[in-house]
Amino acid sequence: MANTETALKEALAAIEGATGVALVDYTSGMALGTLGGSKSFDLNVAAAGNTDVVRSKLRTMEHLGLKGQIEDILITLSDQYHLIRLISGRGGNGLFLYLVLDAKRANLAMARHQLKKIEEDLEV
């Protein structure tokens, strides 16, 4: 089991092309931990904004009567991938991992696989 800081460090170090990662509480919009980012890319602002994305998708699923669970949400930009992975189990309800990837260096399939493993090992 990994604590938040260890999990975020692992994500940033182990996932090719990762430039930022955060653990976010989508009930409050607060980042519980961040690592990476830059002066021009504030992970706390991105975390709060992506909280709206998660809430909107959950609300839409409820309106449609969809019973499945969201594994992840992918947002593709011309030069970045933004991956949102909702955390399930072990007290992770209401949390998501947010990963920012450089699209030129990242392997999206591997990033999703590695983020899932990090989520499974995360102790919250």
Side-chain angles (χ1 to χ4, degrees):
M1 295 294 168
N3 66 23
T4 300
E5 183 179 345
T6 302
L8 296 179
K9 284 180 182 177
E10 182 180 346
L12 202 58
I15 300 175
E16 183 71 27
T19 61
V21 62
L23 178 64
V24 184
D25 177 347
Y26 64 79
T27 59
S28 68
M30 299 273 305
L32 304 177
T34 63
L35 198 59
S38 66
K39 289 180 182 176
S40 63
F41 190 88
D42 186 330
L43 279 168
N44 288 300
V45 173
N50 282 300
T51 293
D52 293 334
V53 172
V54 171
R55 289 179 186 162
S56 178
K57 186 59 187 173
L58 289 170
R59 198 170 38 254
T60 301
M61 288 176 63
E62 183 180 333
H63 291 313
L64 293 172
L66 298 175
K67 301 296 181 205
Q69 290 186 337
I70 298 172
E71 288 184 19
D72 54 41
I73 298 169
L74 173 64
I75 300 166
T76 58
L77 305 177
S78 59
D79 60 348
Q80 293 178 335
Y81 299 129
H82 294 235
L83 188 58
I84 299 167
R85 176 153 188 97
L86 275 68
I87 296 178
S88 58
R90 287 192 319 277
N93 195 26
L95 301 178
F96 66 87
L97 283 166
Y98 171 59
L99 181 67
V100 181
L101 298 159
D102 178 337
K104 291 181 178 85
R105 296 182 319 150
N107 177 324
L108 187 55
M110 284 302 297
R112 289 182 70 221
H113 174 74
Q114 290 170 296
L115 196 59
K116 180 180 179 183
K117 288 185 66 157
I118 290 167
E119 180 239 338
E120 290 169 353
D121 291 340
L122 180 63
E123 172 128 353
V124 286

